[in-house]
Amino acid sequence: MPLLQSIFCLQGYDERSRFFVLSGISLLAFILFSAIFASYFVVNLLFLLLLTSILTLTTIRRLRDAKLSKSWQLIPSVLFLITGVITLLLDNNISYYLLLLPSLVSALLLTYPSQNDGKEKNYIYGYYGPVDLASYLQSTKKPRKQNQRIEPTLASDSVNTHAVNHASIATQVEQNNNNQTDQQSTSQIQADLGELIRLKLLNNKRLQLGIVISLLAIFVTIVITSLLTSNTKSTQLHEAEQNLSQEQIIQQSNISGSKLIASRTQHLVMPDNFDLYLTPYKGILLHWQADSVATGQLWSQLTTKGDKSCQLINFNQGNDLRPLTIMVENNTEYFASFSPLDTQALIQALAFQGSFSLCGYDFSLKGSQAVLGKHNSYAFFLDK
């Protein structure tokens, strides 16, 4: 495809209009592509390299067309590549303003007119070079009509007709010359306008300094704002993940506590209005009835969430123990589950101490040793 070949052509010349179009397309294509495929850094980077090569080649052709120094060649493309990579890394909409830097350099190149190097250049779509784009031009010649009738004329009329034709031709030639002169004048005015803008910028030292300071301030502001925004998003995401993980832990502890209550065995009624159960893993499940509260988890050692008065079972002579969970069923049924590692210590404390308190409720242990000793499953822990 000749048009595509001309875009990737190292030789040839690009007019200002073609350079403007290719530069603008490169910037807009990167912005749209990186926004659509924001999650694919490698794909965006490869596409950025492709657009950078297009911008580099059109810059080289534009510099050749304007007869400028080769030191310009990599400035727009290098700035475009650096700002593009920074934009991808920051992953923030504000960072797209960094693309103003290569855009301003490209705009400066537009102020340089095409220079004639002694040979006529027939630009096609703003390009002149080894790639032939003549096939894209539409023919402006109209086909000659066949079998056109020629009206007979008298000799005297032909003389007048020839005179009129000569006058008409002379008028058309003069109009064409005037049109060409007007077109040349228009082109010259446009070229002079570009030169005037550039000279005004480059010859005013204060204006140059102000532009440089403004660009640096914009660059620093954009980078700092993007970093702060990224940190804020990361913090919010981390907090959201923490909240989600805590909710999952609470849900898991609720499920675990419900399973322990549902799988209780070896029921033993104690003297002072509380009961004992054994879990499948030989852990103690302590049950009592009390004030009406919401059904569900009252305390969890896993999350340390809930009623702080349920953190420990306090015995009158010490040797306090920490329950794993305390669940409530039917609003009044309290179940405190303990680790199997604490089973022996808990049974012996219930047998040999005088009282305990849990969740703000006090219980007497008078006669508890005899009750525990009569049940084989609990007496086993008294003998150890």
Side-chain angles (χ1 to χ4, degrees), residues 12-64:
Y13 305 82
D14 274 1
E15 283 188 324
R16 286 185 286 188
S17 58
R18 180 181 170 92
F19 176 73
F20 172 76
V21 170
L22 291 178
S23 301
I25 289 176
S26 298
L27 292 172
L28 292 177
F30 171 72
I31 293 173
L32 293 176
F33 193 88
S34 60
I36 295 173
F37 300 95
S39 301
Y40 303 94
F41 177 80
V42 176
V43 176
N44 283 322
L45 183 60
L46 293 177
F47 189 68
L48 175 62
L49 293 175
L50 175 64
L51 296 177
T52 302
S53 64
I54 294 175
L55 183 59
T56 302
L57 292 173
T58 188
T59 302
I60 293 174
R61 295 192 298 267
R62 176 83 268 273
L63 292 173
R64 186 182 292 118

Side-chain angles (χ1 to χ4, degrees), residues 349-363:
L350 292 174
F352 302 120
Q353 296 205 34
S355 64
F356 72 89
S357 63
L358 181 60
C359 296
Y361 299 99
D362 297 322
F363 300 91

